[in-house]
Amino acid sequence: MRKLTAGLFMSLDGVVESPNLWQFDSFDEELGLEMTAMMNRVDTVLLGRVGYEQWAGYWPSAENDDPFGAFINPVPKFVASRTLTGDLAWQNSTLITGDLNEFVTELKNTEGGEICLVGGISLVRQLLFVGLLDSLTLMTHPVVAGEGRHLFEPTDPVTRLTLQSSLMTSKGNALLTYGLRTD
């Protein structure tokens, strides 16, 4: 079975929305190496509508020498949306039809590498709470963002996690990877 992972940049106060507004110079060599390792493991991407619309407006025309652009443009992308319809313009993008949880379960049972959920805060929450997300990496930067969406909401259920890995970088980023606790 394929593994479904997600990674989100996060501020110390828990903001995961628009990290480009508060990352500043904290993206260091170690974080870059971890991102490269992720790109080497992943051969399929899941996106939410908002993430898809933001990224489809930027990455297709990004510089060819950008490593993330070289990864994200050709990779197969599946987009979860209740409002988008028809064919999607960004290369190798497919709109998910039907039930998201059933689609992800079927996708995890196909041959291939790791599946990574990017650009979808609500998708991360949904797939974590139904038990389909195998690991969640929170890349916490040493900054207080002050405003923006948080990953978790006050109405979310108590959910126990287990630490799968941790890494501290030279610029103070804490990379913590969690999975659902099974006992």
Side-chain angles (χ1 to χ4, degrees), residues 2 38-39 41-47 55 68-78 90-94 114-116 118:
R2 297 171 75 181
M38 177 276 300
M39 291 185 290
R41 292 188 309 267
V42 170
D43 68 4
T44 307
V45 166
L46 289 178
L47 289 145
W55 288 19
F68 191 74
F71 160 75
I72 198 66
N73 284 319
V75 75
K77 294 170 279 295
F78 293 98
W90 191 9
Q91 77 180 82
N92 296 325
S93 295
T94 304
E114 194 171 290
I115 305 161
C116 189
V118 297

Side-chain angles (χ1 to χ4, degrees), residues 65-132:
D65 62 347
D66 185 289
F68 191 74
F71 160 75
I72 198 66
N73 284 319
V75 75
K77 294 170 279 295
F78 293 98
V79 181
S81 173
R82 290 185 212 91
T83 58
L84 293 176
T85 58
D87 293 334
L88 302 177
W90 191 9
Q91 77 180 82
N92 296 325
S93 295
T94 304
L95 186 62
I96 297 170
T97 58
D99 182 77
L100 174 65
N101 296 341
E102 289 176 13
F103 176 85
V104 171
T105 299
E106 290 174 15
L107 185 61
K108 288 179 71 169
N109 284 310
T110 62
E111 294 294 319
E114 194 171 290
I115 305 161
C116 189
L117 197 167
V118 297
I121 297 168
S122 60
L123 284 182
V124 169
R125 289 178 56 248
Q126 177 181 343
L127 295 173
L128 174 70
F129 292 137
V130 298
L132 290 172

